[in-house]
Amino acid sequence: MDFDQILAKCGDFNRYQFMILALFGFINIIVSMHYFTQTVISFVPDHWCYHDKLVNMTYKEIGEIYAQFEKPSCTRLEDINGHNVTVSSKPCEKWIYNYDFGYRSMNTELNWVCDSAYKARIGQSLFFIGSVVGTLFYGLLSDKIGRVPALILSNFCGFAGDFSTIFTKSVATFTLCRFISGLAADTNFYLMYIIVLEYIRPSMRTLGLNMAVGLFYCMGLVFTPWLAVLVGHWQIYLACTSLPILLVVLYYFVVQESAQWLVTRNDIDGAIVRLKRVAKFNGCRVTQADFDEFRRHCQMTREMQGGDDKKQATLLDMFKTPRMRKNTLILFFKSMVITLCYDAVSRNVEGMGISPFIMFSLSALAVLPSSILLVLLQDRIGRKGMASGSLLVGGLFTAAAGIAIAYQQHSQNAILLACLTIAARFGVAISYESGSQYATELIPTCVRGQGVAAVHVAGFAASFLAPYILWLGTFFKAAPSIILGVLFFAGSFVCLLLPETLNRSLPTTIEEGEVFGKGERMFDFPCLHNKHDDEESDSEMEKYKRKHSLIDAKQMQMESFSNGKRKPSLIDADREEQALKDAKH
């Protein structure tokens, strides 16, 4: 009896699964706020260099005076006589801000604008550096001490970084705090994602995971800018978004450690204890004989894989065999493409003629429809088809948006820009959500924490290029979108080289990962197969597991023979021989 079978007896879509999905939803809310905190505290409204004669003027009148200059926000005036002004050669030291909805951001309070605007960008860069370090560290830690402790430690790091940012006044302390905050991204999300995925029925993973992300992540994104407006100040906003993170500590008492991970650590007793708790919470009765059968299966599988003397699998083992190496490199490239495009599109909410608060919320609304579309389609066309198709659609949206923007030249249509941005965000959101589930399912359990961490690190590393790609727009407006579109198309193609994971037992070891999906062709999609084809087709990993199950049964039978229960007969031998032939065919 393998893990999926014993989990089905304990309940694989019952009260416990509903509870951890709700807890995963809370994680999505705090993660959405945490990830975009830097964006919200750095919003810069329309601003102009301060002059005594401008104090009693309206913002419209001030804007008309400065409109004649190439850099109206950073031009200092010596004297003002109506519309006749004299420009000063001195740099600005004080500004007049037209606060959006009265919200005072960090950049406006510390005057990090014009020549000092780079200070906030340094903090953002350190946040991404922290995310690379933290993702690697907590990914390795999760495979050493467990998913739940690593999840709690990661979120505590996020709290410490965000809360300490409140008291920063200098670039040095600000960048240090942002680095600490970045240590939590993205492990504060995907570790809980792994736990939920491993405890939920395979056929319900798409519905449960994507609806939790769609509803709660979207809710957090839409609410985030208006929380800032409600409190009115960036420091109070940081306190309101960071303090709820401490509630994740309570997960230690209600979320069960990954039973599959415990099995890979040879802690079968610990895995059974967790499964018994899940069964009790779900109100399911599972006999001790069922757990004993699961224990024997784990022991036999481990003995056939080298027993206790076998070295624990590491991230490097994913590169030692040809098929695992190919799949891992493809997952890396796909993550780089998706994260780079997602970050570039999501953060590009200023300078469009619409309040960044409104633009941020409007673009966030694309997350929920993308999740609904995933639920409707991903279990029909498969993971591979959804990953490739969503990247293709995202590429078309992004490239089309760039071309349309290029034709606007000097005049900007705010509504058109908003629609194109939302459309691009919709395509990127589909790619991001489908890619997260696909990578988590494809990487074997024994290195899932490290593997998923490495995939996310590759994505964060690529996101460093986002500002430079966007900077190319100063030379040709369509350049950033066209470049991102080409990357989307390349990602769509390489996804076709990955194996399908829909409705299949996920690999738990490197050996199973190597044979997983062997024999599949590039355009093999579940939606193109009829029932007869599905019955005839069988992956190499399923044959591998079935063969091991037969060996387990044979060894258990021989144990019963040796205990004197009955002697083996010719009928037993014939049955075993026929079963092995069936497995071969």
Side-chain angles (χ1 to χ4, degrees):
M1 181 179 294
D2 63 16
F3 181 81
D4 288 339
Q5 292 171 326
I6 191 66
L7 181 62
K9 289 180 177 291
C10 297
D12 54 9
F13 200 67
N14 209 314
R15 288 195 293 264
Y16 178 74
Q17 282 70 30
F18 296 150
M19 181 193 72
I20 59 175
L21 280 171
L23 295 176
F24 181 53
F26 176 72
I27 288 286
N28 274 275
I29 292 176
I30 62 175
V31 165
S32 64
M33 293 181 177
H34 173 261
Y35 188 75
F36 289 103
T37 289
Q38 178 72 33
T39 302
V40 175
I41 66 174
S42 301
F43 279 160
V44 179
D46 291 335
H47 56 285
W48 306 272
C49 202
Y50 177 84
H51 195 282
D52 291 336
K53 292 184 178 180
L54 299 176
V55 174
N56 296 322
M57 293 187 180
T58 64
Y59 292 122
K60 184 178 180 181
E61 291 172 338
I62 296 173
E64 289 176 350
I65 291 174
Y66 277 98
Q68 57 186 301
F69 302 106
E70 183 179 356
K71 296 180 178 180
S73 300
C74 306
T75 301
R76 183 170 180 172
L77 301 180
E78 184 72 32
D79 186 37
I80 301 175
N81 185 12
H83 284 281
N84 298 320
V85 296
T86 304
V87 179
S88 173
S89 59
K90 298 179 181 179
C92 289
E93 297 176 352
K94 188 177 180 181
W95 284 263
I96 298 172
Y97 294 100
N98 183 13
Y99 296 106
D100 282 321
F101 300 99
Y103 171 69
R104 295 176 180 268
S105 68
M106 178 195 68
N107 284 37
T108 59
E109 185 169 290
L110 300 179
N111 286 325
W112 285 1
V113 294
C114 293
D115 293 339
S116 297
Y118 73 93
K119 296 178 180 179
R121 296 192 184 102
I122 292 176
Q124 185 62 32
S125 298
L126 266 293
F127 179 89
F128 282 119
I129 293 174
S131 69
V132 171
V133 175
T135 303
L136 281 175
F137 173 73
Y138 287 113
L140 292 170
L141 193 66
S142 71
D143 282 339
K144 293 292 183 182
I145 67 173
R147 319 295 196 213
V148 177
L151 172 71
I152 294 171
L153 290 173
S154 172
N155 276 278
F156 185 79
C157 233
F159 159 76
D162 282 354
F163 194 77
S164 58
T165 303
I166 295 173
F167 308 101
T168 60
K169 296 295 183 181
S170 67
V171 179
T173 55
F174 175 69
T175 52
L176 176 62
C177 291
R178 298 320 297 160
F179 175 81
I180 296 173
S181 178
L183 291 173
D186 198 34
T187 47
N188 55 355
F189 167 80
Y190 80 75
L191 288 176
M192 188 64 185
Y193 189 98
I194 291 175
I195 292 171
V196 176
L197 181 141
E198 292 179 347
Y199 271 114
I200 201 169
R201 185 188 307 164
S203 61
M204 300 304 295
R205 284 171 185 155
T206 297
L207 174 63
L209 289 168
N210 288 294
M211 287 310 298
V213 173
L215 285 172
F216 294 100
Y217 195 76
C218 178
M219 186 189 306
L221 287 179
V222 172
F223 178 67
T224 291
W226 303 111
L227 174 63
V229 170
L230 180 65
V231 299
H233 196 276
W234 68 278
Q235 290 175 313
I236 302 175
Y237 165 78
L238 278 175
C240 292
T241 56
S242 59
L243 288 173
I245 300 177
L246 292 175
L247 295 175
V248 178
V249 175
L250 300 177
Y251 282 34
Y252 182 81
F253 303 100
V254 292
V255 177
Q256 301 302 316
E257 184 54 81
S258 167
Q260 286 195 48
W261 172 78
L262 289 169
V263 170
T264 65
R265 307 299 293 182
N266 200 30
D267 186 6
I268 302 174
D269 291 334
I272 291 176
V273 167
R274 270 67 175 189
L275 288 169
K276 285 182 177 179
R277 291 175 183 172
V278 172
K280 182 179 180 181
F281 194 92
N282 286 334
C284 299
R285 293 185 178 181
V286 185
T287 64
Q288 186 60 40
D290 290 327
F291 287 115
D292 290 340
E293 186 178 347
F294 172 66
R295 183 194 303 275
R296 284 193 294 270
H297 170 79
C298 295
Q299 290 172 342
M300 295 296 181
T301 302
R302 184 168 186 81
E303 289 175 6
M304 285 180 287
Q305 293 170 352
D308 295 334
D309 296 332
K310 184 177 180 180
K311 184 182 177 181
Q312 292 289 342
T314 65
L315 179 65
L316 295 178
D317 292 323
M318 297 174 64
F319 295 91
K320 291 182 178 179
T321 53
R323 297 193 71 257
M324 274 296 299
R325 180 167 56 247
K326 180 197 75 173
N327 292 342
T328 303
L329 291 175
I330 291 174
L331 290 175
F332 277 19
F333 179 74
K334 182 168 69 70
S335 177
M336 293 170 69
V337 169
I338 294 174
T339 308
L340 173 61
C341 297
Y342 184 84
D343 192 75
V345 173
S346 300
R347 297 182 186 277
N348 189 25
V349 295
E350 297 186 70
M352 294 191 176
I354 298 178
S355 166
F357 296 96
I358 297 175
M359 192 65 239
F360 192 94
S361 294
L362 287 176
S363 63
L365 290 174
V367 174
L368 181 57
S370 68
S371 296
I372 295 174
L373 189 65
L374 276 175
V375 171
L376 295 175
L377 297 181
Q378 185 154 263
D379 283 345
R380 296 175 184 271
I381 66 177
R383 311 292 194 253
K384 178 167 69 173
M386 198 68 202
S388 179
S390 60
L391 284 168
L392 178 63
V393 172
L396 292 174
F397 274 142
T398 307
I403 294 171
I405 291 173
Y407 276 103
Q408 290 191 68
Q409 297 298 330
H410 302 291
S411 61
Q412 288 190 348
N413 186 321
I415 296 177
L416 177 61
L417 284 176
C419 291
L420 292 172
T421 302
I422 293 170
R425 178 70 178 271
F426 176 75
V428 173
I430 294 176
S431 304
Y432 196 86
E433 291 182 45
S434 63
S436 297
Q437 183 174 347
Y438 200 10
T440 307
E441 291 181 344
L442 202 54
I443 296 173
T445 305
C446 61
V447 289
R448 187 163 289 156
Q450 302 173 53
V452 174
V455 168
H456 282 258
V457 164
F460 280 124
S463 65
F464 290 144
L465 299 175
Y468 301 102
I469 292 177
L470 294 176
W471 175 71
L472 293 176
T474 58
F475 302 99
F476 178 53
K477 284 189 175 182
S481 295
I482 293 175
I483 291 172
L484 295 177
V486 171
L487 290 173
F488 266 124
F489 296 145
S492 176
F493 172 76
V494 298
C495 280
L496 296 174
L497 304 176
L498 292 173
E500 181 57 62
T501 62
L502 177 62
N503 294 330
R504 292 182 179 173
S505 297
L506 302 182
T508 58
T509 65
I510 295 293
E511 291 79 5
E512 291 177 359
E514 174 63 17
V515 299
F516 185 81
K518 193 172 183 179
E520 284 188 26
R521 292 168 296 183
M522 181 181 290
F523 295 102
D524 280 348
F525 302 115
C527 59
L528 302 180
H529 292 170
N530 55 41
K531 186 176 180 180
H532 178 70
D533 293 333
D534 291 336
E535 290 175 352
E536 287 186 350
S537 64
D538 196 5
S539 72
E540 292 292 331
M541 196 196 81
E542 289 162 347
K543 293 178 183 178
Y544 176 86
K545 282 191 171 183
R546 188 167 60 199
K547 181 179 179 181
H548 283 193
S549 298
L550 286 169
I551 295 174
D552 290 352
K554 184 175 181 179
Q555 293 191 15
M556 290 168 57
Q557 187 184 60
M558 295 307 294
E559 288 177 4
S560 67
F561 295 157
S562 63
N563 291 333
K565 294 182 180 179
R566 69 180 179 92
K567 295 181 179 180
S569 65
L570 292 174
I571 296 176
D572 295 321
D574 291 340
R575 286 176 176 173
E576 290 174 9
E577 184 179 356
Q578 183 61 42
L580 288 171
K581 287 181 179 179
D582 292 341
K584 186 180 293 185
H585 292 292

